[in-house]
């Protein structure tokens, strides 16, 4: 954990200063805190000596799951974490960021003083105050990723706070999550019906969200599994692995043995979520 105080992190001060706008969501409510913080942000009050930095832990983004986004529609991403401070907190802030500089503006959430700010419950514990915090980030790929698909991949959770003595603490790597482009698969097995022992051709296509165009595009040269489940059975068995074409299409063959369902399954990549095609039934006679 990288935790710093206001005396060493000026970039963090610039980021967190937006928290002191009137009406900003407060991690904890303490008399006079907001007034003092506004004065600090304006430069008329200097921070007091640090009495102990805030510590953050147990950060979880999207319940520990990847954040998979299509080209349309907003997604609510829950974030939870805990914090401890000897003197108590006045304000907290959280956002997701990517790259090497957490003070840059390339963040998923950075609109401070909005509903994105964490809501924290304070508990008095031995040696100080403990906080159980949660936030919900609303991500809209049509807005947040309109500049391109390069943002797909790992993101980090930034947490920051002001304590009651105007000291700033930040930890820019409390937790990590992957934001991925949504994928979709189709599968069609033919002919239907088919005689036992004859060849069945299974075709399909793998596509994924293209945030730069707002459309879906074929995903080229990706390994996809062809699976089969016998009629009346409960599990699918992998028959073979094939690769998509340059346009994302799939075509492969297998021998008809018994009635059952065929499907394609894509495991996903570091930038793209998994996908499973709806199973297609073939009647073998």
């Amino acid at each position: 954990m990288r935790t710093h105080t206001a005396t060493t992190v000026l970039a963090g001060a610039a980021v967190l200063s937006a928290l002191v706008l009137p009406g900003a969501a407060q991690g904890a409510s303490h008399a006079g805190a907001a007034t003092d913080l506004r004065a600090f942000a304006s430069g008329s009050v200097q921070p007091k000596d640090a009495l102990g930095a805030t510590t953050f832990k147990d950060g979880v983004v999207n319940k520990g799951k990847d954040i998979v986004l299509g080209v349309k529609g907003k997604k609510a991403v829950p974030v939870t974490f805990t914090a401890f401070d000897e003197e108590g907190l006045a304000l907290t802030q959280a956002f997701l960021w990517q790259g090497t500089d957490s003070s840059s503006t390339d963040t998923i959430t950075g609109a401070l003083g909005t509903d994105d700010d964490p809501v924290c419950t304070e508990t008095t514990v031995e040696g100080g105050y403990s906080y159980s915090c949660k936030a919900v980030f609303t991500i809209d790929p049509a807005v947040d990723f309109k500049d391109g698909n390069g943002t797909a991949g790992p993101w980090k959770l930034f947490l920051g706070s002001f304590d009651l003595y105007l000291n700033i603490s930040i930890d820019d790597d409390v937790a990590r999550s992957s934001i991925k482009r949504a994928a979709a698969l189709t599968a069609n097995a033919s002919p239907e019906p088919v005689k036992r022992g004859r060849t069945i051709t299974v075709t399909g296509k793998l596509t994924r969200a293209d945030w730069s165009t707002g459309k879906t595009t074929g995903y080229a040269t990706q390994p996809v599994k062809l699976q089969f489940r016998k009629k009346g059975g409960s599990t699918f068995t992998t028959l073979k692995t094939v690769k998509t074409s340059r346009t994302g299409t799939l075509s492969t063959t297998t021998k008809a043995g018994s009635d059952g369902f065929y499907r394609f399954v894509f495991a996903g990549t570091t930038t793209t979520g998994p996908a499973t095609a709806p199973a297609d039934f073939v009647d073998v006679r």
Side-chain angles (χ1 to χ4, degrees):
M1 176 182 293
R2 289 176 288 171
T3 303
H4 314 277
T5 64
T7 57
T8 59
V9 183
L10 298 180
V15 173
L16 288 172
S17 64
L19 281 170
V20 302
L21 294 173
Q26 295 188 20
S29 178
H30 296 278
T35 300
D36 288 343
L37 286 167
R38 282 195 293 270
F40 171 69
S42 68
S44 60
V45 175
Q46 296 299 315
K48 300 177 182 179
D49 293 335
L51 298 181
T54 304
T55 56
F56 303 100
K57 64 177 183 178
D58 301 329
V60 178
V61 179
N62 201 39
K63 300 180 180 179
K65 301 177 181 178
D66 291 341
I67 303 168
V68 182
L69 301 166
V71 294
K72 296 181 180 179
K74 298 178 180 180
K75 184 178 182 63
V77 177
V79 173
T80 57
F81 62 93
T82 60
F84 172 81
D85 192 271
E86 293 180 3
E87 302 300 327
L89 298 182
L91 298 171
T92 57
Q93 185 232 336
F95 61 77
L96 296 174
W97 68 283
Q98 185 183 55
T100 58
D101 183 7
S102 61
S103 67
S104 73
T105 58
D106 296 329
T107 60
I108 289 295
T109 105
L112 310 182
T114 70
D115 291 339
D116 284 345
D117 291 330
V119 176
C120 297
T121 301
E122 180 185 84
T123 303
T124 302
V125 297
E126 182 179 357
Y129 300 89
S130 178
Y131 298 85
S132 177
C133 304
K134 60 182 180 180
V136 177
F137 300 155
T138 301
I139 302 177
D140 184 349
V143 176
D144 297 316
F145 304 132
K146 63 182 179 180
D147 293 333
N149 300 306
T151 52
W155 286 73
K156 302 172 186 178
L157 175 63
F158 175 106
L159 297 177
S161 68
F162 273 127
D163 70 12
L164 296 184
Y165 288 86
L166 307 183
N167 297 302
I168 294 174
S169 296
I170 67 170
D171 185 343
D172 60 11
D173 196 1
V174 181
R176 298 190 178 190
S177 184
S178 289
I179 298 180
K180 297 184 176 183
R181 300 159 65 179
L185 257 178
T186 61
N188 180 64
S190 63
E192 304 174 57
V194 65
K195 291 184 178 181
R196 190 181 307 276
R198 293 291 182 89
T199 297
I200 294 175
T201 300
V202 187
T203 59
K205 188 172 185 178
L206 174 64
T207 58
R208 62 174 175 167
D210 187 334
W211 296 327
S212 61
T213 64
K215 300 177 181 179
T216 58
T217 58
Y219 199 2
T221 61
Q222 295 302 308
V224 175
K225 294 179 179 180
L226 174 65
Q227 296 186 335
F228 174 75
R229 176 170 64 84
K230 187 175 181 180
K231 182 180 179 180
S234 58
T235 59
F236 278 88
T237 299
T238 297
L239 302 179
K240 62 174 71 175
T241 298
V242 295
K243 281 193 174 183
T244 60
S245 71
R246 289 181 297 176
T247 59
T249 60
L250 289 156
S251 182
T252 189
T253 60
T254 187
K255 295 294 184 180
S258 58
D259 293 351
F261 300 85
Y262 293 88
R263 72 180 187 182
F264 285 122
V265 177
F266 172 60
T269 64
T270 57
T271 62
T272 305
T276 299
D280 189 26
F281 178 76
V282 174
D283 180 13
V284 178
R285 297 180 178 177

